[in-house]
Structures are given as structure tokens and as C-alpha cells.
Amino acid sequence: VSLYWAYHAVSLAMHLINVGLVYLLLTQLFGKDRKAVTWLITAIWALHPIQTDAVLYISQQSELLVSFFILATLVCALKGYRKSAVLLCALGMLCKELMVVTPVLVLFAASMQSQSTPWKQLKKHPLFYVSLTMTCSIVAALMFLYPRSASTGNIHGWDNWHYLLPQSQVICYYLSQVVWPNRLAIDPFFERAESIADIWPFGVVIVGLLITAVWLLINRHKLGFWGVWFFVILAPTSSFIPIVTEIAALRRMYLPTLAVLVVLTCLLAMLLKRFKVQVACKPVMMVACLVFTTVTWQHAHTYQSQIKLYEDNIAKFPNHKRALRNLAGWYFNDLDFDKAIDAYDQLLSFWPDSPKAQYDRITTLLFLGRTQQAIADLQQLIKQHPEHVPFYNKLGMAYAENQQFDLAMEQFRFAVKLSPYNSLAKLHIGNLYLRQDKIDKAIYWLEQSVYFTFNEQHQITTSGTAGWNQLGILYAKTKQYEKAQMAFTCAIHSKSWESTKVAEANLKRVNEILGVENPETYQPKLKQFPVKATVLED
């Protein structure tokens, strides 16, 4: 728990530093004669509930860090510290791809500050802007060396066009949550759009805002810069480059929210000026700050646990499959199996053909002791999905739970027949033989279950952890102590914390039996492991 508080303290400190940088940036752009409004905009930005995701979601410290480098680069550039700006920009490129927008933001911010055109800025400081742009090569090199092929690109049926279509709806959602934050969620959900007809009202709004921003920029209006700020920062994640794991994420609004607040403040000032009540601008902003602070405090309470977080998510996006699956999983981890079953039933009402959801629901039934229902459901699912190997494994486990060992063995062997490298089925076969005191056959099948988790680089995967430990115990019982040493060493190298502790204790005992010096630390070389792979028959 103390470690979590340390992470939160670091996130809060980073956010506070960014708050200070936002104030310095606004001071540079607005001038020192508007300190009160600058402070109020900064305070609203800092306390706005839409920032909760970036600040409280521990794994998103990268958003806070890249925002720091963007803001710090801008402040240094506007203050004339150009060498520092280039250095900060280069360091920021190591954080996140979003940093590539910084040279554009610096160019237009400097143009706004000096009330000149971007072209004049480029001519005035060509080396500075070339240096800033060259730092983007760091991101290019990192993307080439470490591509995010599992989450970005045209995968899982998503192409550039189908990712772009719902982004107009997503951006409208972002804007609405800045103004009226009533549907904040850690994982917002939007249906896949197949054509422009599905999203045209949102598209009209976004295209209209984009045209307005460009027009203001061409006419050198100060609000044009904030339009650039909003659209340019969102462009890497909310345009046509598919990020299939997250169509939408509120943390992406961490910096763009500032542009919306500045524009809203200017519109409010214009409206109040028209009605000749300009004096009301600051009180209205103070009230907004207090209201947003209250909403932020309430929303932050949903981050107390994963269950609260996803219960809140489902309350706002009830048809979201991924959020339902996560909620069911957290109920299961919390041993609240009845609620997990209800969540899986709700999930399957939206996603009836999901083998993974069906499998997890049946696992929950087994933990509830409803073995007969689990067996009946599995038999039905196998008829629908005869090639889905995990169903055979799970049915074998259900039969074993029901003391029907012959039927269980039949299911495990059929799983191995369908998938010869199925380590889990072989592990279960070995354990069934162990129950029958057929030690030799148990050792044989356990060897087969772990062999394919020992790859050519002699790295052990966690999938074989249980098998390695069990196999080591059987080797020791049959006085094959050298093999037992190797098996326990493989369990240690699997990096599974609980199994590592057990394996270390067992290895120490075996080392003592063999009279090894330093029995607590000695481990044999993994490449000596003598298992040979055969696949099907015993």
C-alpha cells in the first residue's frame, strides 16, 4: 500500500509542476497584466475532473511526463532560452510519441507572442526550429526499433478510415466532458462506424471547429493558436492512425483541456462585456473552479478499487464489452463469484459468441461448486465450438472435480490430440496418473507438459511453473536428485513469485541431500536439462 502512495505522490508532484508551467506559459502569452484571469484558468485546468485519469491512473505517468517536457520546452522557447528548449524537446522525445507536435506548438506560440507570422519566426531563428524538428528523429528511431505492433496499425480489422470515423464522436465527447463532466470513465466506449452516415452530425461539428481554428489562425487572431493547440495535440491519437486498444481515453485531454478553457473564458468575457457586466467574469470562473473541484473529489473516489472503477464505467457505458469483462474478472479476483456470474451473463447478452467470456463464466461456476451446470454448459459449447481446445481442458477439470476421472482423462487426451503442444492438458494427465500412484507415467506426462516451455535460449516461461515444481517433487521422491535440481531451477527461472519461493526451498533440500556447497544459492545450468520431447503416446 505504501508503494501505491509513493506512486500517487510522484504523479501529484508531476501534476503540480505542470500547473506551474501552465501558469508561466499563460503569463508569457497573455502578459503580466492579466494575472487574476491567468491564475483562474490555471486553477480550473489543475482541478478539472477530466484530469483525474492522467493524475490518478498510475500507469499513465507517461502522459504527465511528456506534458512536462512539452510545457517546459514552450516556456523556455518563449523566454528566449533556446538551447534549453532544444535539450528539453530531445529528452521529451524519449517519453512518448506525442512529443513530435512540440516544434509546431513552439512556432505558433512564438508567433502569437511576437504578433508576427510563423514564416517570419522561421526566418528569424532558422537554426532553432531546424534543431527542434531534428529531435523528432529520436521518436522515429524508437518507433522503428520498438514498434507497437500489438496495439497500433491496421490490425484486428481496423484500418485508417474506420478508426478516423468515430474520432469525431470521440472528440465531441471530450469537449462535452470539459464543459459538463457527467460521463467521465476510465474506458469510454464508442461503436464502430462503418460510413460517414453513422457519424455525420459529429463530423460536421468537428470539421466546423477545425475550419474556424484555421480561419482564426490565418487572420492572426489569438484564439487561432488555441485551436492549433487543441487539434495538433490530439492529432497523433485521434486522427487516422489506429490505436486499436483504446479508441478513446480521457487522459489524452490533459493538455488539450487548457485550450478549451482559454476559449471558453474568452467567450464568457465577450458575452459579459456585451451585457456590460464584465465584473462578473472572475466570480463566475471562481464558482466554476469550486464546482469542478467538488466533481473531481467525487470522481476520484471511484479510483479506490478496480471494482468501483469499472462499476462506474458500466453505469455510464452499459454496453461496453471490455469494461464488463474486466468488471467480471475483478469480481472473480475478489471472490465475489455471484456478481461475477451476473457480469458474465450481461456480457454474453451483448457478446454471445465469445469463447473467452463463456470459458471464464464456466470457471466461475466451478468455483461456486456448480459442477453439473458447468459440465452441461461445456458439453453444449463443445458442440458449438468443436475445435476450441480450452473447452476440453475445462471439461476435463470439471469431470475431475466431480470424481469422474476416466471421463476427465478422455477429455485431456482429446485436447492433446487436437493440440499436440498443449502443456496444460499434459499437466492434468500427469496429475491424474499421480492420483492413481502411477509415478512413472505421471513423470512422463509432466515432462511433456514442461518441455515446450524451455525454449532455445534456455528461458523458462511462467506457463510451465506448476509442472516444473510438481516434476521436481516426483524426481526427488524417485531419488533422481540431479533432475530434481534442474526442475526446481526451471521453476525459479519462471519468475512466478509464489512458485519461486516454494522452488527455492525445495532446491535447497535437494542440494543438501546431494551435499552441495552453498545449498541455498547453488543452481545448475539450465542447458543441462535432460528431458526429451515426445508428443502423443505414453
Side-chain angles (χ1 to χ4, degrees), residues 226-257:
W226 295 107
V228 169
W229 178 281
F230 180 81
F231 284 108
V232 166
I233 293 177
L234 281 178
T237 56
S238 298
S239 55
F240 59 86
I241 302 173
I243 304 175
V244 297
T245 53
E246 280 186 318
I247 304 279
L250 285 173
R251 65 178 175 277
R252 294 172 185 166
M253 281 295 290
Y254 185 71
L255 285 180
T257 296

PDB file of all heavy atoms in Angstrom, residues 226-257:
ATOM      1  N   TRP A 226      -4.934  28.620 -29.979  1.00  0.00           N
ATOM      2  CA  TRP A 226      -5.523  27.602 -29.100  1.00  0.00           C
ATOM      3  C   TRP A 226      -6.261  26.539 -29.898  1.00  0.00           C
ATOM      4  O   TRP A 226      -6.370  25.389 -29.466  1.00  0.00           O
ATOM      5  CB  TRP A 226      -6.409  28.261 -28.060  1.00  0.00           C
ATOM      6  CG  TRP A 226      -5.591  29.131 -27.152  1.00  0.00           C
ATOM      7  CD1 TRP A 226      -5.548  30.495 -27.121  1.00  0.00           C
ATOM      8  CD2 TRP A 226      -4.631  28.686 -26.189  1.00  0.00           C
ATOM      9  NE1 TRP A 226      -4.650  30.939 -26.194  1.00  0.00           N
ATOM     10  CE2 TRP A 226      -4.061  29.846 -25.595  1.00  0.00           C
ATOM     11  CE3 TRP A 226      -4.195  27.441 -25.757  1.00  0.00           C
ATOM     12  CZ2 TRP A 226      -3.092  29.774 -24.610  1.00  0.00           C
ATOM     13  CZ3 TRP A 226      -3.225  27.372 -24.771  1.00  0.00           C
ATOM     14  CH2 TRP A 226      -2.684  28.532 -24.206  1.00  0.00           C
ATOM     15  N   GLY A 227      -6.775  26.909 -31.072  1.00  0.00           N
ATOM     16  CA  GLY A 227      -7.322  25.897 -31.964  1.00  0.00           C
ATOM     17  C   GLY A 227      -6.243  24.940 -32.440  1.00  0.00           C
ATOM     18  O   GLY A 227      -6.441  23.717 -32.490  1.00  0.00           O
ATOM     19  N   VAL A 228      -5.071  25.524 -32.794  1.00  0.00           N
ATOM     20  CA  VAL A 228      -3.930  24.682 -33.179  1.00  0.00           C
ATOM     21  C   VAL A 228      -3.529  23.783 -32.017  1.00  0.00           C
ATOM     22  O   VAL A 228      -3.282  22.579 -32.190  1.00  0.00           O
ATOM     23  CB  VAL A 228      -2.736  25.574 -33.611  1.00  0.00           C
ATOM     24  CG1 VAL A 228      -1.468  24.738 -33.763  1.00  0.00           C
ATOM     25  CG2 VAL A 228      -3.052  26.281 -34.909  1.00  0.00           C
ATOM     26  N   TRP A 229      -3.446  24.363 -30.828  1.00  0.00           N
ATOM     27  CA  TRP A 229      -3.088  23.606 -29.627  1.00  0.00           C
ATOM     28  C   TRP A 229      -3.997  22.384 -29.470  1.00  0.00           C
ATOM     29  O   TRP A 229      -3.518  21.259 -29.260  1.00  0.00           O
ATOM     30  CB  TRP A 229      -3.207  24.534 -28.421  1.00  0.00           C
ATOM     31  CG  TRP A 229      -2.927  23.928 -27.075  1.00  0.00           C
ATOM     32  CD1 TRP A 229      -3.758  23.161 -26.320  1.00  0.00           C
ATOM     33  CD2 TRP A 229      -1.716  24.059 -26.305  1.00  0.00           C
ATOM     34  NE1 TRP A 229      -3.171  22.800 -25.143  1.00  0.00           N
ATOM     35  CE2 TRP A 229      -1.909  23.343 -25.104  1.00  0.00           C
ATOM     36  CE3 TRP A 229      -0.510  24.716 -26.517  1.00  0.00           C
ATOM     37  CZ2 TRP A 229      -0.933  23.262 -24.112  1.00  0.00           C
ATOM     38  CZ3 TRP A 229       0.463  24.632 -25.527  1.00  0.00           C
ATOM     39  CH2 TRP A 229       0.259  23.926 -24.345  1.00  0.00           C
ATOM     40  N   PHE A 230      -5.298  22.603 -29.563  1.00  0.00           N
ATOM     41  CA  PHE A 230      -6.264  21.525 -29.343  1.00  0.00           C
ATOM     42  C   PHE A 230      -6.132  20.424 -30.399  1.00  0.00           C
ATOM     43  O   PHE A 230      -5.962  19.241 -30.068  1.00  0.00           O
ATOM     44  CB  PHE A 230      -7.686  22.101 -29.348  1.00  0.00           C
ATOM     45  CG  PHE A 230      -8.758  21.067 -29.123  1.00  0.00           C
ATOM     46  CD1 PHE A 230      -9.063  20.643 -27.847  1.00  0.00           C
ATOM     47  CD2 PHE A 230      -9.465  20.530 -30.189  1.00  0.00           C
ATOM     48  CE1 PHE A 230     -10.050  19.690 -27.635  1.00  0.00           C
ATOM     49  CE2 PHE A 230     -10.446  19.586 -29.981  1.00  0.00           C
ATOM     50  CZ  PHE A 230     -10.749  19.171 -28.697  1.00  0.00           C
ATOM     51  N   PHE A 231      -6.192  20.795 -31.655  1.00  0.00           N
ATOM     52  CA  PHE A 231      -6.218  19.785 -32.719  1.00  0.00           C
ATOM     53  C   PHE A 231      -4.859  19.127 -32.944  1.00  0.00           C
ATOM     54  O   PHE A 231      -4.781  17.924 -33.227  1.00  0.00           O
ATOM     55  CB  PHE A 231      -6.736  20.399 -34.019  1.00  0.00           C
ATOM     56  CG  PHE A 231      -8.215  20.607 -34.026  1.00  0.00           C
ATOM     57  CD1 PHE A 231      -8.749  21.886 -33.932  1.00  0.00           C
ATOM     58  CD2 PHE A 231      -9.083  19.540 -34.126  1.00  0.00           C
ATOM     59  CE1 PHE A 231     -10.126  22.086 -33.934  1.00  0.00           C
ATOM     60  CE2 PHE A 231     -10.457  19.726 -34.126  1.00  0.00           C
ATOM     61  CZ  PHE A 231     -10.980  20.999 -34.029  1.00  0.00           C
ATOM     62  N   VAL A 232      -3.779  19.887 -32.811  1.00  0.00           N
ATOM     63  CA  VAL A 232      -2.445  19.317 -33.050  1.00  0.00           C
ATOM     64  C   VAL A 232      -2.086  18.311 -31.964  1.00  0.00           C
ATOM     65  O   VAL A 232      -1.539  17.235 -32.254  1.00  0.00           O
ATOM     66  CB  VAL A 232      -1.383  20.432 -33.140  1.00  0.00           C
ATOM     67  CG1 VAL A 232       0.018  19.860 -33.053  1.00  0.00           C
ATOM     68  CG2 VAL A 232      -1.546  21.197 -34.448  1.00  0.00           C
ATOM     69  N   ILE A 233      -2.395  18.620 -30.693  1.00  0.00           N
ATOM     70  CA  ILE A 233      -2.056  17.685 -29.618  1.00  0.00           C
ATOM     71  C   ILE A 233      -2.893  16.409 -29.706  1.00  0.00           C
ATOM     72  O   ILE A 233      -2.406  15.306 -29.418  1.00  0.00           O
ATOM     73  CB  ILE A 233      -2.221  18.358 -28.242  1.00  0.00           C
ATOM     74  CG1 ILE A 233      -1.169  19.467 -28.081  1.00  0.00           C
ATOM     75  CG2 ILE A 233      -2.088  17.350 -27.115  1.00  0.00           C
ATOM     76  CD1 ILE A 233      -1.274  20.244 -26.793  1.00  0.00           C
ATOM     77  N   LEU A 234      -4.144  16.525 -30.138  1.00  0.00           N
ATOM     78  CA  LEU A 234      -4.990  15.339 -30.271  1.00  0.00           C
ATOM     79  C   LEU A 234      -4.691  14.544 -31.547  1.00  0.00           C
ATOM     80  O   LEU A 234      -5.055  13.366 -31.634  1.00  0.00           O
ATOM     81  CB  LEU A 234      -6.465  15.730 -30.263  1.00  0.00           C
ATOM     82  CG  LEU A 234      -7.094  16.035 -28.908  1.00  0.00           C
ATOM     83  CD1 LEU A 234      -8.548  16.442 -29.083  1.00  0.00           C
ATOM     84  CD2 LEU A 234      -6.994  14.831 -27.977  1.00  0.00           C
ATOM     85  N   ALA A 235      -4.038  15.171 -32.514  1.00  0.00           N
ATOM     86  CA  ALA A 235      -3.849  14.539 -33.826  1.00  0.00           C
ATOM     87  C   ALA A 235      -3.180  13.162 -33.769  1.00  0.00           C
ATOM     88  O   ALA A 235      -3.629  12.230 -34.443  1.00  0.00           O
ATOM     89  CB  ALA A 235      -3.074  15.473 -34.756  1.00  0.00           C
ATOM     90  N   PRO A 236      -2.096  12.951 -32.991  1.00  0.00           N
ATOM     91  CA  PRO A 236      -1.449  11.629 -33.016  1.00  0.00           C
ATOM     92  C   PRO A 236      -2.334  10.484 -32.545  1.00  0.00           C
ATOM     93  O   PRO A 236      -2.139   9.342 -32.949  1.00  0.00           O
ATOM     94  CB  PRO A 236      -0.249  11.813 -32.070  1.00  0.00           C
ATOM     95  CG  PRO A 236       0.027  13.275 -32.088  1.00  0.00           C
ATOM     96  CD  PRO A 236      -1.324  13.914 -32.198  1.00  0.00           C
ATOM     97  N   THR A 237      -3.318  10.767 -31.674  1.00  0.00           N
ATOM     98  CA  THR A 237      -4.152   9.694 -31.126  1.00  0.00           C
ATOM     99  C   THR A 237      -5.588   9.721 -31.629  1.00  0.00           C
ATOM    100  O   THR A 237      -6.276   8.705 -31.558  1.00  0.00           O
ATOM    101  CB  THR A 237      -4.185   9.780 -29.592  1.00  0.00           C
ATOM    102  OG1 THR A 237      -4.639  11.084 -29.206  1.00  0.00           O
ATOM    103  CG2 THR A 237      -2.822   9.522 -29.007  1.00  0.00           C
ATOM    104  N   SER A 238      -6.047  10.855 -32.128  1.00  0.00           N
ATOM    105  CA  SER A 238      -7.461  10.992 -32.501  1.00  0.00           C
ATOM    106  C   SER A 238      -7.623  11.378 -33.967  1.00  0.00           C
ATOM    107  O   SER A 238      -8.467  12.198 -34.310  1.00  0.00           O
ATOM    108  CB  SER A 238      -8.138  12.038 -31.611  1.00  0.00           C
ATOM    109  OG  SER A 238      -8.105  11.631 -30.268  1.00  0.00           O
ATOM    110  N   SER A 239      -6.803  10.766 -34.814  1.00  0.00           N
ATOM    111  CA  SER A 239      -6.946  11.039 -36.249  1.00  0.00           C
ATOM    112  C   SER A 239      -7.101   9.724 -36.996  1.00  0.00           C
ATOM    113  O   SER A 239      -8.027   8.974 -36.721  1.00  0.00           O
ATOM    114  CB  SER A 239      -5.746  11.854 -36.749  1.00  0.00           C
ATOM    115  OG  SER A 239      -4.527  11.203 -36.444  1.00  0.00           O
ATOM    116  N   PHE A 240      -6.192   9.410 -37.885  1.00  0.00           N
ATOM    117  CA  PHE A 240      -6.374   8.232 -38.732  1.00  0.00           C
ATOM    118  C   PHE A 240      -5.394   7.104 -38.421  1.00  0.00           C
ATOM    119  O   PHE A 240      -5.426   6.066 -39.076  1.00  0.00           O
ATOM    120  CB  PHE A 240      -6.246   8.626 -40.209  1.00  0.00           C
ATOM    121  CG  PHE A 240      -4.919   9.245 -40.545  1.00  0.00           C
ATOM    122  CD1 PHE A 240      -3.825   8.470 -40.881  1.00  0.00           C
ATOM    123  CD2 PHE A 240      -4.754  10.625 -40.499  1.00  0.00           C
ATOM    124  CE1 PHE A 240      -2.601   9.042 -41.167  1.00  0.00           C
ATOM    125  CE2 PHE A 240      -3.526  11.206 -40.790  1.00  0.00           C
ATOM    126  CZ  PHE A 240      -2.454  10.409 -41.124  1.00  0.00           C
ATOM    127  N   ILE A 241      -4.505   7.281 -37.451  1.00  0.00           N
ATOM    128  CA  ILE A 241      -3.565   6.215 -37.090  1.00  0.00           C
ATOM    129  C   ILE A 241      -4.240   5.322 -36.054  1.00  0.00           C
ATOM    130  O   ILE A 241      -4.470   5.755 -34.917  1.00  0.00           O
ATOM    131  CB  ILE A 241      -2.257   6.792 -36.529  1.00  0.00           C
ATOM    132  CG1 ILE A 241      -1.604   7.721 -37.549  1.00  0.00           C
ATOM    133  CG2 ILE A 241      -1.300   5.664 -36.140  1.00  0.00           C
ATOM    134  CD1 ILE A 241      -0.395   8.471 -37.027  1.00  0.00           C
ATOM    135  N   PRO A 242      -4.581   4.090 -36.400  1.00  0.00           N
ATOM    136  CA  PRO A 242      -5.353   3.245 -35.476  1.00  0.00           C
ATOM    137  C   PRO A 242      -4.590   2.901 -34.198  1.00  0.00           C
ATOM    138  O   PRO A 242      -3.458   2.435 -34.244  1.00  0.00           O
ATOM    139  CB  PRO A 242      -5.618   1.973 -36.300  1.00  0.00           C
ATOM    140  CG  PRO A 242      -5.440   2.371 -37.723  1.00  0.00           C
ATOM    141  CD  PRO A 242      -4.378   3.429 -37.713  1.00  0.00           C
ATOM    142  N   ILE A 243      -5.217   3.185 -33.067  1.00  0.00           N
ATOM    143  CA  ILE A 243      -4.746   2.686 -31.768  1.00  0.00           C
ATOM    144  C   ILE A 243      -5.871   1.785 -31.278  1.00  0.00           C
ATOM    145  O   ILE A 243      -6.788   2.224 -30.582  1.00  0.00           O
ATOM    146  CB  ILE A 243      -4.464   3.830 -30.789  1.00  0.00           C
ATOM    147  CG1 ILE A 243      -3.459   4.824 -31.396  1.00  0.00           C
ATOM    148  CG2 ILE A 243      -3.922   3.295 -29.465  1.00  0.00           C
ATOM    149  CD1 ILE A 243      -3.206   6.040 -30.555  1.00  0.00           C
ATOM    150  N   VAL A 244      -5.819   0.537 -31.672  1.00  0.00           N
ATOM    151  CA  VAL A 244      -6.993  -0.333 -31.565  1.00  0.00           C
ATOM    152  C   VAL A 244      -7.301  -0.732 -30.135  1.00  0.00           C
ATOM    153  O   VAL A 244      -8.418  -1.156 -29.835  1.00  0.00           O
ATOM    154  CB  VAL A 244      -6.821  -1.588 -32.451  1.00  0.00           C
ATOM    155  CG1 VAL A 244      -6.721  -1.196 -33.906  1.00  0.00           C
ATOM    156  CG2 VAL A 244      -5.580  -2.385 -32.038  1.00  0.00           C
ATOM    157  N   THR A 245      -6.327  -0.626 -29.231  1.00  0.00           N
ATOM    158  CA  THR A 245      -6.607  -0.980 -27.842  1.00  0.00           C
ATOM    159  C   THR A 245      -7.373   0.109 -27.108  1.00  0.00           C
ATOM    160  O   THR A 245      -7.966  -0.152 -26.061  1.00  0.00           O
ATOM    161  CB  THR A 245      -5.294  -1.260 -27.093  1.00  0.00           C
ATOM    162  OG1 THR A 245      -4.408  -0.140 -27.260  1.00  0.00           O
ATOM    163  CG2 THR A 245      -4.624  -2.513 -27.641  1.00  0.00           C
ATOM    164  N   GLU A 246      -7.346   1.341 -27.636  1.00  0.00           N
ATOM    165  CA  GLU A 246      -8.062   2.453 -26.996  1.00  0.00           C
ATOM    166  C   GLU A 246      -8.557   3.423 -28.064  1.00  0.00           C
ATOM    167  O   GLU A 246      -7.793   4.262 -28.535  1.00  0.00           O
ATOM    168  CB  GLU A 246      -7.161   3.185 -26.001  1.00  0.00           C
ATOM    169  CG  GLU A 246      -7.034   2.509 -24.669  1.00  0.00           C
ATOM    170  CD  GLU A 246      -6.246   3.355 -23.679  1.00  0.00           C
ATOM    171  OE1 GLU A 246      -5.238   3.943 -24.071  1.00  0.00           O
ATOM    172  OE2 GLU A 246      -6.660   3.416 -22.510  1.00  0.00           O
ATOM    173  N   ILE A 247      -9.811   3.284 -28.411  1.00  0.00           N
ATOM    174  CA  ILE A 247     -10.405   4.242 -29.348  1.00  0.00           C
ATOM    175  C   ILE A 247     -10.464   5.627 -28.705  1.00  0.00           C
ATOM    176  O   ILE A 247     -10.265   6.650 -29.356  1.00  0.00           O
ATOM    177  CB  ILE A 247     -11.835   3.795 -29.734  1.00  0.00           C
ATOM    178  CG1 ILE A 247     -11.808   2.388 -30.297  1.00  0.00           C
ATOM    179  CG2 ILE A 247     -12.461   4.790 -30.706  1.00  0.00           C
ATOM    180  CD1 ILE A 247     -11.420   2.249 -31.701  1.00  0.00           C
ATOM    181  N   ALA A 248     -10.747   5.643 -27.406  1.00  0.00           N
ATOM    182  CA  ALA A 248     -10.862   6.910 -26.676  1.00  0.00           C
ATOM    183  C   ALA A 248     -10.217   6.750 -25.303  1.00  0.00           C
ATOM    184  O   ALA A 248     -10.229   5.670 -24.718  1.00  0.00           O
ATOM    185  CB  ALA A 248     -12.323   7.310 -26.525  1.00  0.00           C
ATOM    186  N   ALA A 249      -9.660   7.845 -24.784  1.00  0.00           N
ATOM    187  CA  ALA A 249      -9.079   7.848 -23.432  1.00  0.00           C
ATOM    188  C   ALA A 249      -9.044   9.289 -22.943  1.00  0.00           C
ATOM    189  O   ALA A 249      -8.472  10.155 -23.599  1.00  0.00           O
ATOM    190  CB  ALA A 249      -7.677   7.239 -23.438  1.00  0.00           C
ATOM    191  N   LEU A 250      -9.641   9.538 -21.797  1.00  0.00           N
ATOM    192  CA  LEU A 250      -9.753  10.914 -21.305  1.00  0.00           C
ATOM    193  C   LEU A 250      -8.402  11.529 -20.958  1.00  0.00           C
ATOM    194  O   LEU A 250      -8.260  12.754 -20.973  1.00  0.00           O
ATOM    195  CB  LEU A 250     -10.670  10.946 -20.075  1.00  0.00           C
ATOM    196  CG  LEU A 250     -12.167  10.803 -20.370  1.00  0.00           C
ATOM    197  CD1 LEU A 250     -12.954  10.671 -19.084  1.00  0.00           C
ATOM    198  CD2 LEU A 250     -12.677  11.988 -21.187  1.00  0.00           C
ATOM    199  N   ARG A 251      -7.399  10.701 -20.659  1.00  0.00           N
ATOM    200  CA  ARG A 251      -6.091  11.277 -20.338  1.00  0.00           C
ATOM    201  C   ARG A 251      -5.494  12.023 -21.526  1.00  0.00           C
ATOM    202  O   ARG A 251      -4.607  12.857 -21.352  1.00  0.00           O
ATOM    203  CB  ARG A 251      -5.138  10.182 -19.871  1.00  0.00           C
ATOM    204  CG  ARG A 251      -4.809   9.157 -20.934  1.00  0.00           C
ATOM    205  CD  ARG A 251      -3.824   8.121 -20.403  1.00  0.00           C
ATOM    206  NE  ARG A 251      -3.600   7.067 -21.365  1.00  0.00           N
ATOM    207  CZ  ARG A 251      -4.388   6.014 -21.519  1.00  0.00           C
ATOM    208  NH1 ARG A 251      -5.477   5.901 -20.773  1.00  0.00           N
ATOM    209  NH2 ARG A 251      -4.121   5.092 -22.413  1.00  0.00           N
ATOM    210  N   ARG A 252      -5.953  11.716 -22.747  1.00  0.00           N
ATOM    211  CA  ARG A 252      -5.463  12.429 -23.928  1.00  0.00           C
ATOM    212  C   ARG A 252      -5.876  13.898 -23.902  1.00  0.00           C
ATOM    213  O   ARG A 252      -5.333  14.708 -24.649  1.00  0.00           O
ATOM    214  CB  ARG A 252      -6.003  11.757 -25.197  1.00  0.00           C
ATOM    215  CG  ARG A 252      -5.467  10.342 -25.400  1.00  0.00           C
ATOM    216  CD  ARG A 252      -6.155   9.627 -26.537  1.00  0.00           C
ATOM    217  NE  ARG A 252      -5.710   8.235 -26.637  1.00  0.00           N
ATOM    218  CZ  ARG A 252      -6.310   7.299 -27.345  1.00  0.00           C
ATOM    219  NH1 ARG A 252      -7.399   7.598 -28.040  1.00  0.00           N
ATOM    220  NH2 ARG A 252      -5.835   6.062 -27.386  1.00  0.00           N
ATOM    221  N   MET A 253      -6.834  14.237 -23.047  1.00  0.00           N
ATOM    222  CA  MET A 253      -7.280  15.624 -22.942  1.00  0.00           C
ATOM    223  C   MET A 253      -6.510  16.413 -21.886  1.00  0.00           C
ATOM    224  O   MET A 253      -6.871  17.554 -21.575  1.00  0.00           O
ATOM    225  CB  MET A 253      -8.774  15.656 -22.619  1.00  0.00           C
ATOM    226  CG  MET A 253      -9.667  15.409 -23.824  1.00  0.00           C
ATOM    227  SD  MET A 253      -9.531  16.720 -25.059  1.00  0.00           S
ATOM    228  CE  MET A 253     -10.345  18.069 -24.200  1.00  0.00           C
ATOM    229  N   TYR A 254      -5.459  15.840 -21.345  1.00  0.00           N
ATOM    230  CA  TYR A 254      -4.717  16.511 -20.268  1.00  0.00           C
ATOM    231  C   TYR A 254      -4.261  17.901 -20.699  1.00  0.00           C
ATOM    232  O   TYR A 254      -4.536  18.905 -20.018  1.00  0.00           O
ATOM    233  CB  TYR A 254      -3.518  15.649 -19.869  1.00  0.00           C
ATOM    234  CG  TYR A 254      -2.744  16.186 -18.691  1.00  0.00           C
ATOM    235  CD1 TYR A 254      -3.275  16.143 -17.409  1.00  0.00           C
ATOM    236  CD2 TYR A 254      -1.478  16.736 -18.857  1.00  0.00           C
ATOM    237  CE1 TYR A 254      -2.560  16.629 -16.325  1.00  0.00           C
ATOM    238  CE2 TYR A 254      -0.753  17.221 -17.775  1.00  0.00           C
ATOM    239  CZ  TYR A 254      -1.303  17.169 -16.519  1.00  0.00           C
ATOM    240  OH  TYR A 254      -0.608  17.659 -15.441  1.00  0.00           O
ATOM    241  N   LEU A 255      -3.600  18.026 -21.830  1.00  0.00           N
ATOM    242  CA  LEU A 255      -3.181  19.343 -22.330  1.00  0.00           C
ATOM    243  C   LEU A 255      -4.248  20.031 -23.186  1.00  0.00           C
ATOM    244  O   LEU A 255      -4.430  21.249 -23.067  1.00  0.00           O
ATOM    245  CB  LEU A 255      -1.872  19.217 -23.108  1.00  0.00           C
ATOM    246  CG  LEU A 255      -0.603  19.013 -22.273  1.00  0.00           C
ATOM    247  CD1 LEU A 255       0.623  18.907 -23.175  1.00  0.00           C
ATOM    248  CD2 LEU A 255      -0.406  20.138 -21.261  1.00  0.00           C
ATOM    249  N   PRO A 256      -4.961  19.311 -24.074  1.00  0.00           N
ATOM    250  CA  PRO A 256      -5.977  19.993 -24.883  1.00  0.00           C
ATOM    251  C   PRO A 256      -7.050  20.705 -24.061  1.00  0.00           C
ATOM    252  O   PRO A 256      -7.634  21.686 -24.521  1.00  0.00           O
ATOM    253  CB  PRO A 256      -6.586  18.857 -25.713  1.00  0.00           C
ATOM    254  CG  PRO A 256      -5.463  17.879 -25.868  1.00  0.00           C
ATOM    255  CD  PRO A 256      -4.737  17.929 -24.553  1.00  0.00           C
ATOM    256  N   THR A 257      -7.312  20.229 -22.834  1.00  0.00           N
ATOM    257  CA  THR A 257      -8.306  20.892 -21.985  1.00  0.00           C
ATOM    258  C   THR A 257      -7.959  22.360 -21.768  1.00  0.00           C
ATOM    259  O   THR A 257      -8.858  23.217 -21.661  1.00  0.00           O
ATOM    260  CB  THR A 257      -8.405  20.170 -20.622  1.00  0.00           C
ATOM    261  OG1 THR A 257      -8.892  18.843 -20.843  1.00  0.00           O
ATOM    262  CG2 THR A 257      -9.342  20.893 -19.672  1.00  0.00           C
TER     263      THR A 257
END
